[in-house]
Amino acid sequence: MASLKDMRVRIAATKATQKITKAMQMVAASKLRRAQAAAEAARPFAERMDRVLGNIAAGMAGREGAPKLLAGTGSDKVHLLIVAAGERGLAGAFNSSIVRLARGHANRLMAEGKEVKILTVGRKGYEQLRRQYEKQIIDRTDLRGVRAIGFEHAEDIAKKVLALFADGQFDVATLFYAQFKSGVAQVPTAQQVIPAKPPEGAAAGTFYDYEPEEEEILAELLPRYVAVQVFRALLENAASFYGSQMSAMDNATRNAGEMIRKQTLTYNRTRQAMITKELIEIISGAEAL
């Protein structure tokens, strides 16, 4: 059995840990508000981009000369998985849920005889995937030193992806990230970005005549579409990370409080037992005299 001193040290250490987790919870809650506002502000633009692209794509259906970013290469033998995770841990299942979705997708493709290449965004995604797919990882992007996600960061990632596609390195690109729903709910999501695949129903509505021609518009729109989707994924990830971290630190704080209660109870019982034992020894000694 541990001594009373060891118990006091253990209780003090648990209390110190509880203070840290409580502070991290408050910081995550503060950052979550800003990250959530940024993610929600980006959604209307991304959704509008989907609708415009869907409208133009529907107008070009069956026509020759459609850009490869829209029509594809005519093959799906090589797949690029863009796995966007976090730079840090202590956020519950945030990183592992994204990686799990990407891992299941990769395993399914390889079982079908497809070639898989992986581009990671975020240190935690790379660390988890390299254990099993080190040979498939062709590039990585770390945003560890970035204080606030900007469109330029998404544009840099999009340029890498577009350069690989132009060089014939892959046929299909799928983006993996966590879609933010609330502080306690984040949904791992897989979205195909090349060839561009707007959501179903995005083309519904009025068809327009465009000037210049659709081909010229798509030549400018499609690369930006990829960057916008990556930017949206990064913002959704940021909000999801802080939401998951806030929940994880809240649970850790509660668990630490429960541990302190149990440790204090054990300490008090042990101390009382020792006092009782000493009193019995003193009384027994006095009676012996």
Side-chain angles (χ1 to χ4, degrees):
M1 181 181 292
S3 65
L4 290 178
K5 181 179 179 181
D6 292 337
M7 291 183 183
R8 286 197 298 270
V9 170
R10 191 176 303 166
I11 292 171
T14 307
K15 287 181 177 179
T17 301
Q18 186 184 41
K19 289 180 181 179
I20 294 172
T21 57
K22 182 64 176 177
M24 291 184 67
Q25 177 193 350
M26 296 175 66
V27 170
S30 175
K31 292 183 176 181
L32 172 61
R33 286 191 288 270
R34 294 194 296 269
Q36 181 178 353
E40 291 175 347
R43 286 174 185 172
F45 183 75
E47 291 167 359
R48 184 63 178 171
M49 178 76 82
D50 284 340
R51 289 197 295 270
V52 171
L53 184 61
N55 191 287
I56 299 176
M60 292 194 65
R63 292 168 52 180
E64 295 182 0
K68 281 188 175 182
L69 285 173
L70 181 64
T73 61
S75 174
D76 66 341
K77 292 187 179 299
V78 184
H79 288 251
L80 176 68
L81 311 187
I82 309 165
V83 184
E87 296 291 344
R88 297 181 298 279
L90 296 177
F94 168 73
N95 292 307
S96 58
S97 61
I98 298 172
V99 172
R100 190 182 306 114
L101 180 64
R103 185 183 291 120
H105 193 77
N107 290 340
R108 185 170 59 255
L109 289 172
M110 289 190 290
E112 295 173 358
K114 309 292 177 62
E115 182 181 353
V116 172
K117 298 180 180 180
I118 299 174
L119 187 154
T120 63
V121 181
R123 182 167 59 93
K124 287 298 179 179
Y126 171 75
E127 288 177 352
Q128 292 188 36
L129 286 170
R130 71 176 179 179
R131 302 168 191 167
Q132 186 176 353
Y133 305 102
E134 187 171 7
K135 294 181 179 179
Q136 282 81 11
I137 297 176
I138 59 173
D139 202 352
R140 56 179 292 198
T141 298
D142 286 344
L143 302 173
R144 207 174 330 179
V146 177
R147 295 179 61 88
I149 297 295
F151 185 73
E152 64 274 11
H153 303 113
E155 205 168 25
D156 289 341
I157 296 169
K159 286 179 180 177
K160 289 183 180 181
V161 174
L162 293 170
L164 290 169
F165 184 70
D167 197 37
Q169 295 292 317
F170 66 88
D171 301 310
V172 180
T174 306
L175 178 63
F176 294 85
Y177 64 98
Q179 185 177 8
F180 178 80
K181 294 293 185 182
S182 68
V184 294
Q186 302 85 35
V187 182
T189 303
Q191 179 184 357
Q192 181 178 308
V193 291
I194 297 177
K197 189 178 180 181
E200 293 182 7
T206 306
F207 290 93
Y208 299 94
D209 291 327
Y210 291 92
E211 187 178 342
E213 294 298 322
E214 287 92 335
E215 291 85 350
E216 296 180 51
I217 296 175
L218 288 172
E220 293 292 331
L221 185 65
L222 287 168
R224 183 163 291 269
Y225 168 82
V226 176
V228 166
Q229 298 307 321
V230 173
F231 184 47
R232 178 185 182 181
L234 294 180
L235 293 179
E236 295 280 348
N237 262 4
S240 297
F241 172 80
Y242 290 122
S244 183
Q245 186 177 64
M246 183 182 70
S247 298
M249 292 300 101
D250 179 55
N251 290 334
T253 302
R254 293 174 185 273
N255 291 340
E258 182 64 19
M259 287 179 64
I260 291 170
R261 187 189 69 80
K262 291 180 178 179
Q263 289 171 351
T264 303
L265 183 62
T266 302
Y267 172 81
N268 290 337
R269 285 177 174 174
T270 305
R271 181 169 174 270
Q272 187 63 45
M274 292 181 67
I275 292 173
T276 302
K277 181 181 178 182
E278 290 176 357
L279 287 173
I280 292 173
E281 290 176 352
I282 292 172
I283 293 171
S284 298
E287 289 179 351
L289 294 176

